[in-house]
Structures are given as structure tokens and as C-alpha cells.
Amino acid sequence: MALTSEREAMIWKTLNDTRGKIEPSEYKNYIFGVMFYKFLSEKAQAWLKGVLRGETWAAVWQQDSDKASEFMQRTLGYVIRPGDMFSDWVAAINEDKFNIMMVSDAMVHFDQGVSPEAKNDFAGIFADMDLTSSRLGANAQTRTATMMDWINLMNKIELDEDADVLGDLYEYLIGMFAANSGAKAGEFYTPHQVSDIMARILTAGRENLEEYSLYDPTMGSGSLLLTTASYMKNAGVRGAIKYYGQEWITTTYNLARMNLMMHKVEYNDINLRNADTLNSDWPDGVVDGVDNPRMFDAVMANPPYSQNWDNQNREDDPRFRFGVAPKSKADYAFLLHSLYHLKNDGRMAIVLPHGVLFRGGTEAKIRKKLFDNHNIVAIIGLPEKIFTNTGIPTIIMVLEKNRATDDVLFIDASKGFEKQKNSNKLRQRDIDKIVSTYLARKDLDKYAHVATMDEIHDNDYNLNIPRYVDTFEEEEPVDTAKLLESMKSVSDEERQLTAELKDMMADLVVTHPEDQQILDNLKGVLDYE
């Protein structure tokens, strides 16, 4: 059964009903952990069904557990022991034999069974599930009851042969948790509408490449990587697309690992790292004094905006040869890191605050070098309030390493959106217009302009979009005759109402001296008018 909006809403409501006192930002760690374990367990069972030829996994394990473990590791990269399957948990619940320690023990066994080659993909992936937390319940009995609710809910979600149901649900829930987690949502979520724009731009004309490498240095939950890959012809073909990403926050890094694998990306094609992108270069970079960075076909990023960073002693870092970004604003540091890892014929897209277009100092110098080097392809202004963690308007900047041309396409898409309760949302027609305008690369009245080098020179390298795209709408001329007629009508109506009010006041009978004084004052005002 495919994942419909009705099923999504039902699942989200049920999750909220079982959340209790746990904050959404923490609650997601448990839900995604159970969901991912179900995915791994069912993947293991499907594989075992095809290779055991009638034998049971328990019987094979009992004969030689070491050999059985190695047998599963070679293909899957992990091992789930007999009795630790998600279906074993469900069976125990149905037989009234389930205890939360079954989950705790399964997590320990899972970590022990990860193959050395898959350590980066699986090790510690369930570490954010604190099964002893009092927020799950005051004692083991109540924590067990809470876990049973989650397992029963996940058990209702069936895998579909034709659709990646768990992967789709995972993406949906990431968005819902982001919308309910306030500022913390920015740690892991880029709205799909923005991801879609970037992905279509990055892959345009390259969809048929047999091999394709992706890199997101601030990957969050990995959605940008997945959306970009989804436009490639060979998406889903083992070995065709290589996914590289880096994330500083461990919990978010775990979300990304789960997200990629639940979208059926093989662990052999995943190379993710839990580290600070700006602190030390990766992948590769300077090794033993030799600069040998790994390059990618596409680089995409939605880094934290204007973040503080340690910019000391960076002058010799080859990533920042165009300049070192200010300590209080790491925007250009993320941009230069991304550009550094781009292939000569690659393409990158990065989300940034508007300030990078016009701020002075070191940023102005970096901006000038990027322009003089013909790196900047396009600047796309997005509407405000489309990100869950900030209301500020942002841009997508598209860059390449070796361009023959030096012009820059400016698109002002800030006014194309659907207003929602507390946010704005890009509609499909808004997304399509942005992408088609980018691909056409032509002027479009009050929306897009291809600026020449001379124009940008004349603006002293200030790339603020209104300098290049005039969106001013002239107001319709005032019909003075109609306006005078309207004013005369209002004046006549006012005189009539005043006369009626005076007649009513003349009929009033006043019995108190203070009331008479108020009445006289009011008559004086009317006579003055």
C-alpha cells in the first residue's frame, strides 16, 4: 500500500498521541531509531529468505554463529541475530512476553555485528535512543509500554514493492518534526521545494551520466543528497552514484545515515563523516603536506547562516585562497570549501543569506575574486519565511570552476509563493519558473536579468539583486475627476448625517446639569464642523 497523505496524517497524529512529555526534537530520535531498525530487520529477512533455502536463521546460527555472522556481514554490512528481528519484538508483544530490554540487547548486538568495512555507516547509529530515560516512563514497566506503542505503530507500515514507503515516510516525518522543533529544525532540514530547485539545476543536462559523485559539506539529514541523486538516470543502481557528506551534530549525522539507507542507497556507496567541515578538510585535502583534494561532480549545501567560526591561521589553507571569511560570518568559508571540492566541469549550489551579496571588508574581496574568476553562474533570490528556523530571505548561488563566460544571471523569485499560517511555501509553478528561467538564461521582465561584467563593475561588485532586477510596479494613475466626485459624495453624506444628529439632539430632554453641559459642548463641535 502506497504512502498517502491520509496515512501520513494518521501516523503523525498517532505519534503525537504517544509522545508524552518528550520534546519533538528528542522524540524523533526514538521514532526514527525504531523505524530504521524495522527497515534493517526486514531487509535482512528478505535476504535470508532468498539464501537459506528452507533452513531457519536460528538453526544456521546455532550450528556456527561466527560463520553465520560473517555470512550476513559480507552482503549487508551488519548482523541481526535470531530473536533480535523486529518481527521477534512484534511476536513477543502478541505473546505478552515483550520487555524493553529486548530492544536494548538488540542494539548492543547490532553494534557488535557491524563489519569493519561498514563501521562508518552503522556504528553507533542507535546511540541517540536512551532507553533508560525517565521521559519514556518512570520505571521499566512504563518504558516497556511506551516502546510497545511505537513498535505496534511501525508494524502497521507495510513495505511496498513499487514504492519506498519507509523512505517516503521518513522524509515526511523529518519535515513534520522540523516544523514542530522551532529553531533546532535548522540543524537537519532543508525544505523539499528548495532541495528540488537545487537538484534540478545541478543535474540539468547531466542526467544520463553513468557515474556521478555528490558532496554536501553540511548535510543535515541528507535530503539534498537524495533529492539531487533522484534526478539521475542511474539513481538506485549500485555503484553508479557515490554519496559524500559531513555533519557536525552527531544526532543529525545519524539521521542522515538512516535517511540514505532507508532510501535504499547501499552502504558501499555511502561515505559520511561526523566532524566540523571548516576545522579540517575532508575528503582528502592536504595529506602529508601535499594538496590532493577529492573532487565531485556536484556539491550542494545549506550551511548555518552567518555562523561564528575559528578563522585564525587559515591563510595557508588552500581552500581559502580567495580570502578568509570574517570570524563572525562563516558564509564564504562554507562556499569556498564547497568550490574547492568541485570538479573542473562540476556544478555547485549553496543557500546563503542576502548579506553575502553586498557586505564589505574581506567578503567584498572574496566576492570580487569569485566574479573575476568567472565562478558565479547565477544568484536566485528566494521568498522570506520558507525555512523553518529563520524568517529571513535567502538566496541560492550557483557556481562553476571553469566557465567560458563571465555574465551572471540574477533571478528575483521573492514574490512567488503561497502564504501559510506562519510560513511561506514555494508552489510547484514557482519552482518550475525558477528552473526554466535558469535554463533559458534570458532576461525576463521584473523577474530575471543576465548582467554583464561591465554592469557588475559599475556596481562595485555589489551583487544585491534589486540593482539588477527592477521589480518596481507603477501604481495606476489617479482619476482626479472620479476622486473629486467621490469626495463631494462623502461631504454631502456627512452634512446629511450631521443635520440628522442635530435634530435628534434637539429632541433630547436633559434632567441633570452635567449632562446639559456635555450636550452643549457636543452641539458646539457640530456647529464648528
Side-chain angles (χ1 to χ4, degrees):
M1 185 183 295
L3 186 66
T4 63
S5 57
E6 290 79 11
R7 289 186 75 201
E8 289 175 340
M10 178 276 293
I11 292 167
W12 178 248
K13 181 182 182 303
T14 306
L15 287 177
N16 275 324
D17 291 343
T18 63
R19 181 164 63 86
K21 298 178 181 179
I22 309 174
E23 291 298 317
S25 57
E26 182 181 357
Y27 182 58
K28 71 179 188 305
N29 300 332
Y30 294 101
I31 292 303
F32 288 149
V34 174
M35 186 185 302
F36 186 56
Y37 195 86
K38 170 187 168 72
F39 167 78
L40 295 178
S41 180
E42 294 187 351
K43 181 178 180 180
Q45 287 182 307
W47 174 75
L48 288 169
K49 184 178 179 180
V51 297
L52 289 184
R53 299 175 183 176
E55 287 193 82
T56 66
W57 181 227
V60 172
W61 187 272
Q62 190 173 14
Q63 291 170 17
D64 190 333
S65 60
D66 290 338
K67 189 175 180 180
S69 179
E70 184 183 345
F71 179 54
M72 184 177 282
Q73 276 182 345
R74 279 199 307 269
T75 301
L76 303 182
Y78 62 88
V79 178
I80 297 182
R81 301 182 183 186
D84 285 351
M85 296 289 182
F86 183 87
S87 58
D88 294 322
W89 298 351
V90 173
I93 290 173
N94 293 335
E95 295 169 9
D96 200 22
K97 295 179 180 179
F98 179 81
N99 186 287
I100 197 169
M101 287 306 298
M102 291 181 65
V103 179
S104 180
D105 290 344
M107 301 301 177
V108 172
H109 296 158
F110 182 87
D111 273 346
Q112 292 171 345
V114 174
S115 71
E117 295 79 13
K119 283 289 183 185
N120 289 337
D121 298 296
F122 293 111
I125 202 164
F126 299 108
D128 297 310
M129 294 178 63
D130 182 0
L131 300 179
T132 64
S133 172
S134 60
R135 295 187 183 184
L136 299 185
N139 52 50
Q141 184 177 358
T142 54
R143 290 194 289 274
T144 294
T146 300
M147 182 58 66
M148 286 169 59
D149 287 340
W150 296 341
I151 292 171
N152 283 329
L153 174 61
M154 289 300 126
N155 189 47
K156 294 177 183 177
I157 305 167
E158 299 175 1
L159 289 176
D160 193 302
E161 293 297 327
D162 301 319
D164 187 1
V165 174
L166 278 182
D168 291 345
L169 177 61
Y170 191 90
E171 282 285 330
Y172 165 76
L173 292 180
I174 283 177
M176 293 302 293
F177 277 117
N180 288 271
S181 298
K184 292 183 179 181
E187 298 173 356
F188 60 86
Y189 186 65
T190 299
H192 182 72
Q193 296 81 19
V194 178
S195 298
D196 201 45
I197 293 168
M198 298 170 74
R200 290 170 65 179
I201 287 173
L202 287 169
T203 58
R206 305 177 180 193
E207 300 91 338
N208 293 323
L209 290 177
E210 296 296 325
E211 295 182 351
Y212 198 62
S213 57
L214 308 171
Y215 176 46
D216 186 342
T218 58
M219 67 181 172
S221 59
S223 297
L224 264 173
L225 289 167
L226 286 165
T227 306
T228 304
S230 70
Y231 282 94
M232 299 301 294
K233 180 190 72 173
N234 283 337
V237 177
R238 188 168 188 166
I241 299 177
K242 295 295 185 181
Y243 301 76
Y244 282 77
Q246 190 158 229
E247 173 57 45
W248 170 238
I249 300 171
T250 303
T251 298
T252 309
Y253 163 69
N254 288 336
L255 287 181
R257 291 193 289 173
M258 293 180 190
N259 198 9
L260 265 64
M261 283 185 273
M262 281 209 283
H263 280 86
K264 299 181 180 177
V265 180
E266 296 293 339
Y267 79 90
N268 319 70
D269 295 329
I270 299 173
N271 197 336
L272 309 182
R273 186 183 186 222
N274 181 203
D276 184 343
T277 287
L278 299 182
N279 188 47
S280 58
D281 192 24
W282 180 88
D284 305 329
V286 178
V287 179
D288 296 329
V290 179
D291 184 23
N292 186 32
R294 185 169 305 214
M295 304 299 187
F296 302 95
D297 293 301
V299 181
M300 66 292 299
N302 178 20
Y305 309 140
S306 301
Q307 178 176 277
N308 289 326
W309 74 299
D310 180 9
N311 71 344
Q312 298 299 304
N313 303 316
R314 302 288 187 175
E315 291 77 14
D316 294 331
D317 191 322
R319 295 177 294 172
F320 309 125
R321 63 188 181 91
F322 283 176
V324 179
K327 180 179 180 180
S328 61
K329 294 177 178 65
D331 304 307
Y332 273 111
F334 285 114
L335 184 152
L336 292 174
H337 170 91
S338 301
L339 185 62
Y340 173 73
H341 285 286
L342 190 65
K343 284 184 178 179
N344 286 334
D345 59 350
R347 190 180 295 158
M348 69 168 275
I350 183 170
V351 181
L352 297 166
H354 272 256
V356 301
L357 302 177
F358 52 79
R359 291 192 297 242
T362 304
E363 291 185 301
K365 295 176 182 177
I366 295 173
R367 195 163 56 240
K368 180 180 183 301
K369 289 182 179 179
L370 288 169
F371 177 73
D372 289 344
N373 202 47
H374 308 167
N375 292 131
I376 302 176
V377 178
I379 294 169
I380 303 166
L382 300 173
E384 63 182 4
K385 297 182 180 179
I386 60 171
F387 290 91
T388 55
N389 63 319
T390 179
I392 66 170
T394 53
I395 65 161
I396 296 173
M397 189 181 291
V398 184
L399 302 98
E400 294 178 2
K401 259 192 177 167
N402 293 308
R403 295 178 64 217
T405 56
D406 54 22
D407 54 21
V408 176
L409 171 65
F410 289 85
I411 297 176
D412 187 343
S414 62
K415 295 178 176 61
F417 59 87
E418 176 183 67
K419 190 168 182 60
Q420 299 189 324
K421 186 177 179 181
N422 297 315
S423 62
N424 296 322
K425 180 181 179 181
L426 290 165
R427 298 159 296 191
Q428 189 59 49
R429 67 173 181 266
D430 302 319
I431 296 170
D432 292 342
K433 185 177 181 180
I434 291 171
V435 176
S436 63
T437 303
Y438 173 87
L439 295 177
R441 203 169 182 82
K442 295 178 180 178
D443 284 13
L444 188 59
D445 188 39
K446 300 188 184 306
Y447 189 77
H449 175 61
V450 181
T452 65
M453 179 176 280
D454 289 340
E455 286 180 84
I456 295 175
H457 278 156
D458 291 345
N459 278 300
D460 197 25
Y461 298 95
N462 185 319
L463 303 179
N464 204 16
I465 297 173
R467 289 178 177 246
Y468 305 93
V469 182
D470 180 10
T471 59
F472 177 73
E473 297 281 355
E474 289 189 10
E475 295 183 5
E476 293 184 10
V478 177
D479 187 335
T480 54
K482 189 175 181 180
L483 178 61
L484 287 171
E485 182 64 28
S486 176
M487 291 172 65
K488 182 178 180 300
S489 175
V490 170
S491 182
D492 291 344
E493 185 179 355
E494 182 183 11
R495 279 194 295 271
Q496 182 181 346
L497 290 172
T498 300
E500 291 175 358
L501 183 58
K502 285 181 177 180
D503 291 343
M504 293 171 61
M505 291 171 64
D507 294 337
L508 289 175
V509 178
V510 179
T511 58
H512 197 284
E514 292 182 1
D515 293 341
Q516 184 63 52
Q517 182 63 48
I518 294 172
L519 189 60
D520 290 342
N521 290 340
L522 184 56
K523 287 179 178 179
V525 171
L526 293 174
D527 290 337
Y528 178 79
E529 293 291 337

